[in-house]
């Protein structure tokens, strides 16, 4: 009876064990500053834009033939994700540095003390995408070679190598299955929170998100299309994200000024 009760407890905890890392990921990359302005309308529009973008991406991939294999497409997107995070981090770092430098004392020091959250968010995204790329390349044998040449070692070493290869492959597979949803969650929440720049000031996500998405647009445009879609649909898809983010950011800036009295002048203490 005790064993059956223990098994039920373990089975009952499985959903929590699976969802807990995703919950932690969503909490760590969402803006958590206690006194930040919480506008439900802006929040709902941001999530609607994200959901629409994900739906459009899935539809485009499923509706038109791909120019590369699906595996190469996924891994290419992960590599683009790492590059995009680097570009976003660089652009955001320069913009935030200029913002903090232009703020009068003691606002500049207070803003600088809040930079840990955005940096932590970017590091989590990089680690998740990097782990996906590393485990996938390892499983495909492109990073490490585990080929066993008969006759080069004793049978005991050969058995140990085979067992080690199997265990290592299983560990990489488990890590990959955990890293993919984790990376998706931190990326979605990170994009919606503009990499937690709202922890520094409420205006920063609205001011900097257009700069970031247009930088990523240039990267995606230079890579060329991944699907054989008509140019009208392809360019509409590529421009949809930056244009919608820019329009939403303009409206959010206007709403923060009219409804909450937040302007760039007051943010800089001018």
């Amino acid at each position: 009876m005790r064993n059956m009760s223990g098994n039920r407890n373990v089975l009952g905890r499985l959903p929590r064990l699976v969802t807990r890392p995703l919950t932690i990921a969503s909490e760590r990359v969402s803006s958590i500053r206690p006194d930040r302005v919480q506008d439900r309308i802006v929040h709902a529009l941001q999530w609607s834009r994200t959901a629409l973008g994900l739906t459009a991406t899935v539809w485009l991939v499923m509706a038109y033939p791909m120019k590369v294999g699906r595996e190469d497409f996924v891994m290419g997107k992960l590599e683009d994700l790492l590059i995009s995070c680097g570009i976003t981090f660089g652009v955001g770092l320069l913009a935030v540095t200029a913002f903090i430098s232009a703020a009068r004392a003691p606002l500049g020091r207070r803003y600088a003390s809040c930079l840990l959250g955005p940096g932590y968010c970017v590091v989590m995204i990089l680690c998740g995408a990097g782990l996906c790329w590393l485990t996938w390349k390892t499983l495909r044998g492109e990073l490490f070679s585990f080929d066993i040449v008969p006759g080069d070692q004793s049978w005991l070493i050969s058995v140990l190598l085979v067992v080690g290869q199997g265990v290592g492959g299983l560990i990489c597979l488990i890590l990959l299955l955990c890293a993919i949803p984790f990376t998706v969650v931190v990326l979605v929440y990170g994009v919606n929170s503009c990499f937690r720049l709202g922890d520094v000031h409420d205006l920063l996500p609205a001011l900097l998100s257009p700069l970031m998405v247009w930088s990523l647009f240039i990267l995606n445009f230079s890579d060329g299309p991944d699907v054989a879609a008509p140019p009208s649909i392809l360019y509409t898809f590529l421009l949809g994200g930056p244009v919608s983010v820019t329009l939403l950011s303009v409206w959010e800036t206007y709403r923060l000024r009219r409804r909450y009295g937040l302007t760039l002048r007051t943010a800089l203490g001018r």
Side-chain angles (χ1 to χ4, degrees), residues 131-133 135-136 139 171-181:
L131 183 60
C132 289
W133 180 85
T135 52
W136 177 252
L139 286 173
I171 293 175
C172 287
L173 180 60
I174 294 174
L175 289 176
L176 179 63
L177 294 177
C178 294
I180 289 176

Side-chain angles (χ1 to χ4, degrees), residues 17-241:
L17 292 175
V18 173
T19 59
R20 183 60 180 167
L22 302 183
T23 303
I24 294 175
S26 63
E27 292 174 350
R28 293 296 183 271
V29 295
S30 299
S31 184
I32 56 176
R33 203 186 76 212
D35 60 339
R36 188 183 177 191
V37 172
Q38 298 294 335
D39 194 310
R40 294 183 178 180
I41 296 179
V42 173
H43 187 71
L45 287 176
Q46 288 173 342
W47 277 106
S48 300
R49 183 197 65 212
T50 302
L52 182 61
L54 291 175
T55 303
T57 301
V58 174
W59 173 80
L60 188 70
V61 172
M62 300 301 295
Y64 295 97
M66 303 182 65
K67 293 185 176 181
V68 296
R70 295 190 184 276
E71 294 180 359
D72 293 333
F73 172 78
V74 173
M75 294 311 303
K77 288 303 177 184
L78 281 174
E79 292 175 357
D80 289 345
L81 175 60
L82 290 172
I83 299 174
S84 300
C85 285
I87 293 176
T88 301
F89 181 77
V91 172
L93 181 62
L94 291 176
V96 172
T97 301
F99 176 82
I100 294 175
S101 300
R104 288 183 175 177
L107 292 176
R109 290 193 298 271
R110 191 181 74 182
Y111 295 153
S113 66
C114 299
L115 288 175
L116 183 61
Y120 184 72
C121 178
V122 173
V123 168
M124 289 188 68
I125 294 174
L126 288 173
C127 289
L131 183 60
C132 289
W133 180 85
L134 180 64
T135 52
W136 177 252
K137 292 293 186 179
T138 302
L139 286 173
R140 297 189 64 176
E142 297 180 8
L143 293 181
F144 304 100
S145 178
F146 298 100
D147 294 337
I148 301 173
V149 180
D152 286 355
Q153 60 277 319
S154 65
W155 66 270
L156 180 59
I157 295 178
S158 299
V159 170
L160 292 176
L161 288 174
V162 171
V163 172
Q165 182 179 359
V167 173
L170 181 61
I171 293 175
C172 287
L173 180 60
I174 294 174
L175 289 176
L176 179 63
L177 294 177
C178 294
I180 289 176
F182 177 85
T183 304
V184 171
V185 169
V186 296
L187 179 62
V188 170
Y189 276 86
V191 169
N192 269 292
S193 65
C194 197
F195 304 98
R196 283 182 60 176
L197 286 177
D199 285 359
V200 181
H201 194 275
D202 297 276
L203 273 174
L204 282 180
L207 294 176
L208 298 185
S209 54
L211 182 62
M212 293 180 177
V213 296
W214 282 107
S215 300
L216 299 182
F217 166 78
I218 295 174
L219 173 66
N220 293 328
F221 184 79
S222 62
D223 285 343
D226 295 309
V227 296
S232 58
I233 294 178
L234 190 61
Y235 291 124
T236 300
F237 173 78
L238 290 176
L239 287 171

